[in-house]
Amino acid sequence: MTAHPGARRGVRIVGVGSYLPEHRLTNADLVRMMETSDAWIVQRTGIRERRVADLEGGETASTLATLALREALASAHLTPNDLDLIVCATMTAEMECPSCACLIANAIGASRAGAFDLNAACSGFVFGLNVAHELLRGGAYGTIGLIGVDTLSKFMRYNTAGRGTSIIFGDAAGAAVLKATDDASLGILAQTMHADGAGWKDIYVPHRNSDFPPGVTPDPTQCGFVQMSGASVFKFAVGTFPDLIQETLDKARLRPDDVDMYVCHQSNARILLAARERFGIPEEKLYINIDRVGNTVAASVPLCFDDLIKSGRVKPGMKVMFVAFGGGLTWGSSLWQI
Ligand code: COA
């Protein structure tokens, strides 16, 4: 690729990969661990099973992410040393320091690449797409490895006290390799990134008593576990999701049916079905895999995209809208000419 100063460049997604931990946790397994039922979970969320990392056996966010990125590099016919930058979207890095991205760079032997994490909870991968795209289009970088990974199981209690969250979340990693190209028609047509910090208390992980929000009595036994106001998050998501799709379409001056595929964060099947209905999106254009993997946080969007590329449902020439929302509260979108 030749970089011309001032010339507009495009961005191509040249490879994808994913990794799901081996261990399946079905609704029947959960029924043995807590007071719940398959019918309750399926009716409220659409989830039938999720995967859980073997944390005791050494599976972590960076080990899952490493496998996903290796696959993405292989599918792009690139090597780790072709990467200029590794960006890892996660809220479950194994340590505060180093970043998950640095551990991944070391594991794959990407000695040339800069590496950093980005935390926007479930919106992380979509925010990462927007950031990586601009770094590539601006000309400062040529090739970026972007990963969305989370192991929320480490913040879960698989008992009745934790049933409001542990039925929802699953562990996974998804990755994409993005490359600058002289074809300026490829890349982002419209993007959005939003946050409402006032909504932080709807979903958070406290580590000490001072982390609890005003009005909530600090409870040390809750430290280290996800606290979620399910109904508030549901209301936020149901309202935000269609608005986000409309805002992105308006920015790109497109209509809902101009988009070939909607790749959406899998938080709850009911939220996805409501958006489908509102825009009259046909079933085959809004992919749903939450029944098999649950809500995999930052991995959710790249996992769907990987499935869609591998099955041939997304092909070059298509317009694809990535949409996500989550803790923070955060929400964002990225509409691509693939
Ligand atoms: N099994 C059976 N009963 C359960 C349960 C479970 N796993 N979890 C909660 N309950 C109970 C509650 O204790 C409550 O009982 P009560 O009425 O006796 O107090 C009752 O079911 C209703 O709880 P509620 O939290 O109001 O249920 P809900 O209809 O809002 O469904 C969620 C809960 C979490 C499924 C739903 O709110 C949701 O999907 N929210 C969005 C979450 C999300 O997407 N988070 C990720 C954001 S990226």
Side-chain angles (χ1 to χ4, degrees):
M1 199 211 68
T2 330
H4 307 289
R8 199 183 141 81
R9 310 203 302 176
V11 178
R12 197 189 292 271
I13 300 177
V14 291
V16 290
S18 67
Y19 182 74
L20 281 169
E22 293 278 312
H23 183 56
R24 275 170 213 271
L25 197 58
T26 65
N27 290 353
D29 294 328
L30 291 177
V31 167
R32 284 189 283 277
M33 301 159 111
M34 62 188 71
E35 283 171 38
T36 189
S37 68
D38 177 58
W40 196 97
I41 300 171
V42 172
Q43 195 247 325
R44 295 290 211 292
T45 69
I47 303 169
R48 294 181 186 277
E49 64 177 55
R50 66 289 293 141
R51 302 292 182 96
V52 173
D54 178 8
L55 300 174
E56 297 301 314
E59 267 190 329
T60 61
S62 75
T63 69
L64 268 51
T66 296
L67 293 165
L69 182 57
R70 275 206 186 111
E71 192 181 68
L73 281 168
S75 78
H77 306 291
L78 293 174
T79 69
N81 276 330
D82 292 320
L83 293 174
D84 300 312
L85 196 60
I86 296 174
V87 180
C88 181
T90 186
M91 59 170 278
T92 50
E94 36 271 80
M95 292 178 269
E96 278 70 31
C97 181
S99 67
C100 195
C102 283
L103 294 176
I104 299 163
N106 181 51
I108 64 171
S111 51
R112 259 180 9 87
F116 66 89
D117 286 358
L118 177 164
N119 181 351
C122 300
S123 312
F125 187 84
V126 173
F127 279 31
L129 279 175
N130 292 342
V131 170
H133 179 273
E134 296 311 304
L135 292 174
L136 291 164
R137 191 161 65 174
Y141 298 87
T143 308
I144 298 179
L146 174 65
I147 310 111
V149 61
D150 269 303
T151 54
L152 235 70
S153 63
K154 73 178 185 180
F155 295 144
M156 294 294 134
R157 285 161 302 169
Y158 292 98
N159 56 30
T160 300
R163 67 182 180 173
T165 51
S166 56
I167 57 151
I168 293 174
F169 295 102
D171 299 339
V177 178
L178 283 63
K179 207 167 170 22
T181 164
D182 287 335
D183 183 350
S185 71
L186 299 182
I188 289 183
L189 305 171
Q191 62 149 295
T192 67
M193 292 193 272
H194 297 287
D196 173 12
W200 74 270
K201 48 197 174 299
D202 287 344
I203 179 161
Y204 64 102
V205 186
H207 290 295
R208 54 195 69 79
N209 281 352
S210 56
D211 290 339
F212 288 89
V216 173
T217 308
D219 178 355
T221 66
Q222 299 291 335
C223 284
F225 300 113
V226 169
Q227 310 294 307
M228 183 175 76
S229 165
S232 303
V233 176
F234 190 85
K235 204 167 145 218
F236 152 72
V238 163
T240 305
F241 196 46
D243 290 352
L244 196 52
I245 293 178
Q246 190 61 57
E247 181 189 0
T248 316
L249 290 170
D250 289 348
K251 275 191 171 185
R253 297 176 189 216
L254 294 175
R255 290 168 318 181
D257 59 354
D258 291 325
V259 175
D260 298 296
M261 188 63 75
Y262 291 84
V263 183
C264 302
H265 171 51
Q266 310 280 306
S267 67
N268 184 311
R270 284 189 293 159
I271 295 168
L272 296 168
L273 294 173
R276 238 188 214 170
E277 214 163 280
R278 152 105 182 252
F279 291 98
I281 300 170
E283 201 179 319
E284 65 277 10
K285 280 194 176 189
L286 197 158
Y287 184 60
I288 297 184
N289 68 356
I290 192 169
D291 51 320
R292 284 163 286 152
V293 296
N295 176 344
T296 59
V297 192
S300 168
V301 165
L303 203 56
C304 289
F305 189 55
D306 181 63
D307 279 357
L308 290 164
I309 293 275
K310 282 178 180 155
S311 62
R313 287 175 63 186
V314 166
K315 298 187 192 76
M318 286 186 164
K319 288 183 176 58
V320 177
M321 191 190 293
F322 300 91
V323 191
F325 50 84
L329 298 168
T330 56
W331 61 107
S333 60
S334 196
L335 174 57
W336 283 68
Q337 179 65 58
I338 296 287

